[in-house]
Amino acid sequence: MANRNFGNIGDVWKHVVLAEVLEREPPVWYAETHAGSGAYAVVYSGGREYGFLHFLEVAPRFPVLARSPYRAIAASYVESDRGLYPGSALLAMTMLGDASSYLLCDLDRESVTDLRRWSRELGLHSCEVAEADGMAAVMARLDSETRGPGLVHIDPFDRHARAPGGCSALELAARVADSGTGLVYWYGYEEPGAQGRAHKQLAALTRAPLWCGEVTVTGANESLGDLDHSATLCTFGIILANVQEGAAGACAALGNALSRAYADAVLPDGAPGALAFTSSTRVEHGKQT
Ligand SMILES: C[S@@+](CC[C@H](N)C(=O)[O-])C[C@H]1O[C@@H](n2cnc3c(N)ncnc32)[C@H](O)[C@@H]1O
């Protein structure tokens, strides 16, 4: 398993938004650059306690979160006999089923094997799992895809990393946005003061309107570095392109509800773990509202 931080608070925000967009605008094809495993056996960590375990505990008290497709699907896998946390690709496969086709990429053999197993278990007929660099594979698909509206999920470890001769996650995100294809782009920062940076970077590379929903851990940030990585992200966000206003509005409502739901949360070291949520739109190159 290459993704040791599954189920942390960054995953929660990413998966809440992804599931909302998929439910509102199911794509004909779905591609993911860094798919990870299909699902992960739930093992305890402080980051997961603060992440999906806290979310599932408090979500029923917040109607917007309680109704979210992420809550229902995550709860069904977590509470199943197998006790699994679903990754983003399995969320998509579960929600879209055989009505969509898939390109799921990862460099990690174990993750690829698990994704192929889930594709068989769910009876998907058009699911390509590529053990390959996700940026190159998705870029090639973007150029050749003719089946109708698609959605690309980009979830990089390092947004600037690139294979020799290839493009970075950030550059691919700009290409996806400019192509008119739906984009869900995740990012995270460990250091304070990074708010708005990713949105600015992507907006400088594309003319497509973007929506950004960003979450910041407002508690004792100086203590975050001492915690296991799954709790150390200080600021993380999702940028959407080529989705309807209604989907972006629904994601903003989810972000605000998440912030309320975490008002009294505590970080794994006992420090305050409240979350601040902001959303912004760039309707024109370089201009923010
Ligand atoms: C954070 S995990 C993915 C999590 C998953 N998207 C989710 O939300 O559940 C990142 C994954 O990227 C994979 N990876 C790293 N570099 C890659 C690359 N250039 N192309 C494809 N996958 C890559 C790693 O093996 C790892 O499984």
Side-chain angles (χ1 to χ4, degrees), residues 35-203:
S37 291
Y40 305 88
V42 173
V43 283
Y44 180 85
S45 78
R48 284 187 268 284
E49 176 74 36
Y50 179 66
F52 81 90
L53 290 167
H54 184 74
F55 176 89
L56 291 180
E57 188 189 321
V58 297
R61 300 206 294 272
F62 298 85
V64 173
L65 303 180
R67 298 195 279 276
S68 73
Y70 164 72
R71 192 204 61 80
I73 295 170
S76 76
Y77 280 104
V78 170
E79 290 160 13
S80 73
D81 291 346
R82 293 192 276 186
L84 298 172
Y85 182 80
S88 52
L90 183 58
L91 269 180
M93 291 190 273
T94 303
M95 292 186 70
L96 303 173
D98 212 21
S100 301
S101 68
Y102 304 83
L103 171 62
L104 309 174
C105 307
D106 205 288
L107 293 173
D108 173 56
R109 175 70 52 88
E110 200 185 320
S111 303
V112 163
T113 303
D114 190 57
L115 289 167
R116 289 187 177 136
R117 207 187 53 67
W118 278 104
S119 160
R120 283 194 300 277
E121 180 166 330
L122 296 174
L124 305 180
H125 290 93
S126 182
C127 180
E128 180 184 345
V129 179
E131 188 176 345
D133 174 58
M135 272 71 71
V138 172
M139 184 70 94
R141 177 61 57 94
L142 203 57
D143 289 337
S144 63
E145 187 59 69
T146 54
R147 275 178 285 197
L151 186 87
V152 173
H153 177 202
I154 304 178
D155 177 19
F157 268 158
D158 175 352
R159 59 198 154 272
H160 300 294
R162 68 180 78 225
C167 69
S168 68
L170 195 63
E171 288 161 348
L172 176 64
R175 268 295 301 281
V176 172
D178 282 332
S179 75
T181 302
L183 170 70
V184 174
Y185 173 75
W186 185 91
Y187 62 87
Y189 290 97
E190 292 180 14
E191 71 277 14
Q195 285 97 326
R197 196 186 295 166
H199 196 183
K200 218 176 274 174
Q201 284 175 339
L202 186 52

Side-chain angles (χ1 to χ4, degrees), residues 17-27 67-69 95-96:
V17 171
L18 178 66
E20 188 68 27
V21 171
L22 290 174
E23 184 175 72
R24 287 172 171 267
E25 300 176 28
R67 298 195 279 276
S68 73
M95 292 186 70
L96 303 173

